[in-house]
Amino acid sequence: ITPTTVCSDQCTISINVYCRYGVPPYTVTHPWGPPVVVGVPTPCSFTNTIATLQLTIPGCPQYCTLSGSMAVLKPTITDACGNTVTGFPNKTITILPAPDMTATPNPLAVCSGEPVSITFTSCDPTATFSWTGSNATNGSGGIFTSLTNTTTAPSTVTYTVTPTAANGCSGQVVTVPVTVNPY
């Protein structure tokens, strides 16, 4: 199984299943993904082949869940003669929590030249926040600045914010629009 450690918002893993003996082609099934057929029919001959399945973890994505392990269900291999292989060992993956994020205040509107103050919080106390603004600014932590609008119509500066936990997992990217009204 790869990877063996995932963030709680990383929803796909790969599993390699080694097929040997029996009569090809082999049908490999797993409840988390579509069936895969591998091998070429070769009468009265055994072959060795690898089936790679792309699996989607049930209930994913999740944010701020407790870390732990998850059992990956066993695949089923059926050969061309209908023989089914059983007795695969259990496999587990480690799940690390990905942080969520809330911006306060959101939505936000200011007049040109007024200060903007946006703070970010997460259920994960180790989360840090990095952001990029549509006005070619970037930073980390909260956003504390003044925005200027020299036009006669309202404009918008959009900040794209990514929360990252101490375990290295990044949460869902959030956009925070700020309307800047002319003075």
Side-chain angles (χ1 to χ4, degrees), residues 87-142:
F88 289 110
N90 288 326
K91 299 290 182 182
T92 59
I93 56 175
T94 302
I95 308 286
L96 301 175
D100 71 349
M101 192 202 83
T102 303
T104 306
N106 187 15
L108 187 67
V110 295
C111 287
S112 180
E114 288 184 352
V116 173
S117 178
I118 306 171
T119 58
F120 307 115
T121 56
S122 173
C123 61
D124 183 340
T126 71
T128 58
F129 308 95
S130 58
W131 52 267
T132 302
S134 61
N135 60 348
T137 59
N138 60 58
S140 60

Side-chain angles (χ1 to χ4, degrees), residues 48-182:
N48 294 324
T49 189
I50 299 173
T52 301
L53 285 79
Q54 299 297 318
L55 306 179
T56 302
I57 298 171
C60 188
Q62 292 186 16
Y63 298 94
C64 291
T65 59
L66 298 175
S67 57
S69 61
M70 170 184 261
V72 177
L73 303 173
K74 300 172 186 178
T76 301
I77 301 175
T78 306
D79 74 359
C81 296
N83 298 309
T84 301
V85 178
T86 59
F88 289 110
N90 288 326
K91 299 290 182 182
T92 59
I93 56 175
T94 302
I95 308 286
L96 301 175
D100 71 349
M101 192 202 83
T102 303
T104 306
N106 187 15
L108 187 67
V110 295
C111 287
S112 180
E114 288 184 352
V116 173
S117 178
I118 306 171
T119 58
F120 307 115
T121 56
S122 173
C123 61
D124 183 340
T126 71
T128 58
F129 308 95
S130 58
W131 52 267
T132 302
S134 61
N135 60 348
T137 59
N138 60 58
S140 60
I143 300 170
F144 307 100
T145 188
S146 292
L147 299 174
T148 304
N149 180 356
T150 58
T151 68
T152 58
S155 64
T156 301
V157 175
T158 302
Y159 293 97
T160 303
V161 187
T162 303
T164 304
N167 63 17
C169 293
S170 293
Q172 186 173 16
V173 174
V174 175
T175 58
V176 180
V178 178
T179 301
V180 184
N181 293 308

Side-chain angles (χ1 to χ4, degrees), residues 8-62:
S8 62
D9 65 338
Q10 181 181 346
C11 299
T12 58
I13 59 172
S14 295
I15 183 170
N16 287 330
V17 180
Y18 297 91
C19 306
R20 62 179 178 209
Y21 309 117
V23 179
Y26 307 98
T27 302
V28 183
T29 58
H30 193 280
W32 297 357
V36 174
V37 177
V38 294
V40 177
T42 52
C44 300
S45 176
F46 299 111
T47 61
N48 294 324
T49 189
I50 299 173
T52 301
L53 285 79
Q54 299 297 318
L55 306 179
T56 302
I57 298 171
C60 188
Q62 292 186 16

